Amino acid sequence: MKNRITIILVCFGFIVLLACADNGDKKKVSTGKATEPAAASPATEMLDYKTEGAKGVGPVTSFEHKPFDAQLANRGVELFVSKCAMCHGFDRTLVGPSLDGVIKRRTPEWIMNMMLDPATMLEKDPDAKALSKEFASPMISLGMQQEDARAILEYLRERNSATK
């Protein structure tokens, strides 16, 4: 019985991952069809991160604001699909909160610290503690490096800019 439940859960997770990966691929296709002048336009209209507010608790204490990096955002899409999409969406709440508009609500330091060390954030950060009370499952550590978190953050910036 235990093996059946495990198999069912793994299959369900795989289906959800495929569904989320398909959404990411559609995003890439629609971005790739843009002409050069149109591709330059969104870069100038790209939302910037929230600068004032809590930085969270963790290894990221400051953040250097740079122009939008499409190559980094593309890497972030892949990481998001493999590490985050099972629990987080943009148009609805899943296991974790929706990430629609997250760069307007949280500082980049806070977002990266949550990705890098969720256990410490959930233990010591008042905003993370309050947020965790709204959801049944706490965020788990995904073993990310700072470069990974930065790439996902750039994807969140792109995705949140597209849904202004």
Side-chain angles (χ1 to χ4, degrees):
M1 183 69 180
K2 199 173 192 179
N3 286 339
R4 265 190 172 159
I5 293 172
T6 303
I7 291 170
I8 291 169
L9 288 174
V10 168
C11 290
F12 177 75
F14 185 72
I15 291 168
V16 170
L17 183 62
L18 285 176
C20 292
D22 188 39
N23 288 341
D25 291 341
K26 288 178 184 176
K27 173 78 175 145
K28 285 182 186 178
V29 171
S30 65
T31 308
K33 290 181 181 177
T35 60
E36 286 302 318
S41 177
T44 58
E45 296 176 16
M46 190 64 55
L47 292 175
D48 208 353
Y49 303 105
K50 180 179 177 182
T51 56
E52 299 299 319
K55 306 294 184 200
V57 179
V60 182
T61 56
S62 65
F63 181 79
E64 182 182 349
H65 293 266
K66 296 180 180 179
F68 176 71
D69 183 340
Q71 185 176 5
L72 188 60
N74 285 339
R75 183 166 168 259
V77 170
E78 294 170 6
L79 288 165
F80 183 86
V81 168
S82 68
K83 295 186 179 274
C84 311
M86 290 291 290
C87 298
H88 298 281
F90 290 96
D91 55 349
R92 65 183 186 267
T93 298
L94 298 172
V95 175
S98 168
L99 298 179
D100 188 39
V102 70
I103 68 164
K104 297 176 196 173
R105 295 189 310 270
R106 306 279 183 209
T107 63
E109 296 91 345
W110 193 96
I111 296 168
M112 288 180 69
N113 281 325
M114 193 66 183
M115 285 189 274
L116 294 169
D117 191 1
T120 300
M121 285 286 287
L122 292 168
E123 180 185 329
K124 298 180 180 179
D125 183 77
D127 292 336
K129 282 182 186 179
L131 190 60
S132 72
K133 291 178 183 176
E134 297 177 34
F135 298 92
S137 297
M139 184 166 167
I140 61 168
S141 176
L142 298 170
M144 281 195 225
Q145 301 298 315
Q146 277 194 345
E147 316 75 64
D148 299 337
R150 176 67 179 92
I152 292 170
L153 188 65
E154 196 71 354
Y155 167 63
L156 293 175
R157 181 180 182 193
E158 176 184 34
R159 178 66 190 245
N160 281 255
S161 293
T163 59
K164 290 182 207 178

